[in-house]
Each structure stands twice: as C-alpha cells, then as structure tokens.
Amino acid sequence: MRKMVVIATLAALLAAGTALAGESKTYGKGVASADTVKISDLMANPDAWVGKTIRVQGKAVGVCEHRGCWVNLASDVEGQTVRVKVKDGEIVFLPEMLGDMVLAEGVWTANKLDMEATKKVCESEAKKKGEKFDPNSVTSCKTLYQLSGTGAVATKN
Amino acid sequence: MRDFRKVCWTLHREIGFLVVGLTIVYAVSGIAVNHAHHWDANYARVSEPVRIEPTGAGPTAEVEPLVLERLGLERAQIKTTWRASPEVLQVFLEGGGYEVDLVTGEGARTGFRPRPVLFDLNFMHLNNGKGPWTVVADVYAGLLVVLALTGPLLVRGRKGLAGRGGVLMGLGIVLPLAYAVAMRAAR
C-alpha cells in the first residue's frame, strides 16, 4: 500500500511536470478565431474594431509585475504596442514569456477617460520615463484601447 | 450522542492528518501574497545599471548589432530585441534582459527567477494552473469545513463549547463579522 502511494505520487508529479514543459504555453482558453489583425492596422483605426473579437500577434515586451494581469505586445511598427488585459487571477501572464511570440485573442475595447483620469495616466507615464509632469499640459481626454483577453499562446522564438 | 462524538473525533483526527501538507501550503503562501504590495512573492528580481558606448539613435538594423556587441552578448543568447522608442532598445534573454538608451549609453540589466518553493506554493494557493487543482482546492476547502464543525464537539465541560471553547469560538466568529460590518459602514 505504501509503495503504491509513493508510485502514484511520483507519477502525478511527473505528469504535471511533463504538462508544464514544452515550447508553447497556452494561457486561458488559448486562441480560436481565424483572423489575425495586424497591430499596426488595429492602431491605425482603433475605433473600427471596438466590440469585435479579434486575434493579435506580437512579441511580448512587457508583463504586469504585480499580478500578471496584462501583457504588452509589440507591433510591426517600432515603438507601438497593444495591451492584452485579463481579469485578475483568471489568467496569469508570467515574466518568462517576455520576448516570446504571443498570439492573443479577446474583445477590443475602448475606455474613454475623463480629464482627471487622463491626467493620472499621463502623470504615471511621465514618472515611468523619469520626466517632470505638468497637469496643465493635459488639454484633452484620452481613450485607452486594449484587448480584453480570453486566451493566448506564447511560443519561444 | 456518544457515537456521534466518536465519529467527530475520528473525522477530525483523520482529516487533520490528511490536510497538514495543504494547510502549510495555503498558510505560508497566504502570508506571502497578503504582502504582495511590499514585495514580489513569486520572483526574485534584480536590476543593476549598465553603461555602454552610445551607438546613437540610428536605424535598428544598424544599432542592434552594436548594442549586442557592446553588452558582450552573442545572438544565440538572446530571445529577441525591441525598439521601444527612438532612443531605447530592449534586449530580452531567458530570465531577464537589458534596456539601453542608445543616445546616452546608459541602461539597466534586469533579471528574475522564480523564488524556490514559494513560487510553487503561490501557484497552488492562487490556483493559477486551474484544471485538476481546482478539484483538490475545493475538496480541501470542504475538509476544512468538516474540521471546523467537528472541532468544537470534541471536548465537553469547562474547556468545551459550554466554557472556554465557546468563548474562543465566539471570538473567532465575531472578528470577521465585526470587520464585515465596519467595511460596509465605511463604504
């Protein structure tokens, strides 16, 4: 009996380890939709895609350090990224995916910020860049676009 | 009643042994993630400044090889690079990377590695893997309820429900109730 328990435990650990290994890692529901939208096309006319379920592809160049609740994907245009945001705890993006090619799926959303929220976002961005922030320099409200992600697949290059 | 108490004793004892490991997993991870705003409970991170001879903010195809050479990196070592802005190039490696200002040559090397043991404990506690672990976690929660319900019935008399045990149990119930009331009032 004791031997059986030990063997069963080792088998379970081995199975879990094997499942976690591999070159591709699926997050959440993975991806299913057929069409991949180029990030540069998406960002060229973001309002046209709002509410639609889409799939985007790009290198992971930023991951939420606190809860793994978002990943930034690089566009085919230098400096341009899109954020794939998932519900906290539902999907957790790991920092190991940084630099991997990621295919992500979800609903494209627009979050129109009021002036107060816009200033906060601008202040945070300035802080990250180490720049001085002047609230009076913000004159118009921002709209934040992001993919409300339902799943992703990260593949090592 | 004596038979019922005997069943409680048996359940409490056997389940108590069974959940020792899981309780330690959830308790240790619980403390770790309670303080997630103070530290990264999953990864040990390092960040140190680096400085290379500036390459200038030329085309990526030209500056990228120079940056890699000046950082002492072989192409085989890197996962990918990303021109985050006209002045900034990021280099991604397994377990970390570099961010370099092409104009000033200043930058940072960052690294991360999963904390031994704690990463795995948190993975289980937060049920990041979902799947079969959801069943394990649900069963464990159910067993805790059984432990909580059978515990107060184990001892009779002054140290039992009618005495000190009852007072302690009351305190344990009042604490979350009072907090819930205070939370609602503060909202």
Side-chain angles (χ1 to χ4, degrees), chain B residues 5-16:
Chain B
R5 198 177 296 278
K6 205 173 170 186
V7 170
C8 288
W9 266 102
T10 307
L11 279 175
H12 201 84
R13 186 187 62 226
E14 303 299 320
I15 293 172

Side-chain angles (χ1 to χ4, degrees), chain B:
Chain B
M1 187 62 189
R2 188 180 289 178
D3 283 347
F4 179 67
R5 198 177 296 278
K6 205 173 170 186
V7 170
C8 288
W9 266 102
T10 307
L11 279 175
H12 201 84
R13 186 187 62 226
E14 303 299 320
I15 293 172
F17 281 123
L18 186 63
V19 299
V20 166
L22 284 167
T23 303
I24 289 171
V25 167
Y26 280 83
V28 172
S29 168
I31 294 169
V33 298
N34 264 353
H35 298 274
H37 53 297
H38 290 133
W39 73 320
D40 187 333
N42 286 315
Y43 290 90
R45 294 177 189 270
V46 292
S47 179
E48 58 185 30
V50 291
R51 193 184 182 96
I52 61 169
E53 187 188 331
T55 61
T60 303
E62 286 177 19
V63 298
E64 186 198 86
L66 293 174
V67 170
L68 296 183
E69 184 195 323
R70 288 169 194 182
L71 286 172
L73 295 171
E74 299 287 335
R75 191 158 285 278
Q77 287 177 267
I78 67 163
K79 287 173 84 176
T80 192
T81 61
W82 166 241
R83 189 75 177 262
S85 72
E87 298 84 24
V88 175
L89 185 79
Q90 292 178 326
V91 181
F92 295 96
L93 312 168
E94 286 293 346
Y98 291 85
E99 183 169 307
V100 178
D101 187 311
L102 303 168
V103 178
T104 65
E106 289 177 358
R109 182 190 76 83
T110 55
F112 59 85
R113 63 178 173 79
R115 292 188 188 278
V117 184
L118 205 48
F119 178 89
D120 305 286
L121 300 188
N122 295 336
F123 194 86
M124 288 184 264
H125 182 185
L126 301 173
N127 193 17
N128 287 343
K130 305 282 186 297
W133 193 255
T134 306
V135 179
V136 175
D138 286 348
V139 169
Y140 172 60
L143 292 176
L144 283 184
V145 172
V146 176
L147 280 183
L149 295 178
T150 54
L153 304 173
L154 300 183
V155 182
R156 283 188 295 182
R158 281 190 305 119
K159 292 180 182 173
L161 261 184
R164 196 173 67 197
V167 174
L168 291 173
M169 194 172 93
L171 279 175
I173 292 171
V174 164
L175 182 68
L177 274 181
Y179 185 67
V181 171
M183 289 272 289
R184 277 182 180 268
R187 257 188 238 156

Side-chain angles (χ1 to χ4, degrees), chain A residues 35-75:
Chain A
D35 300 323
T36 301
V37 182
K38 265 174 79 175
I39 292 175
S40 55
D41 289 345
L42 188 61
M43 296 309 285
N45 191 7
D47 287 317
W49 298 91
V50 171
K52 292 180 180 164
T53 297
I54 56 168
R55 193 166 78 174
V56 292
Q57 185 175 31
K59 291 183 281 192
V61 293
V63 170
C64 170
E65 287 188 7
H66 298 286
R67 302 211 59 187
C69 64
W70 54 258
V71 57
N72 284 344
L73 302 185
S75 165

Side-chain angles (χ1 to χ4, degrees), chain A residues 96-140:
Chain A
E96 283 89 342
M97 80 192 300
L98 282 168
D100 291 349
M101 185 56 78
V102 176
L103 203 53
E105 188 172 300
V107 178
W108 187 244
T109 57
N111 183 14
K112 291 188 195 313
L113 304 180
D114 59 20
M115 188 52 82
E116 194 184 342
T118 301
K119 284 182 179 177
K120 276 186 185 167
V121 168
C122 293
E123 186 178 6
S124 169
E125 284 172 357
K127 200 176 167 186
K128 267 186 206 164
K129 290 179 191 167
E131 294 170 357
K132 210 173 172 186
F133 175 68
D134 175 15
N136 296 323
S137 64
V138 182
T139 53
S140 60

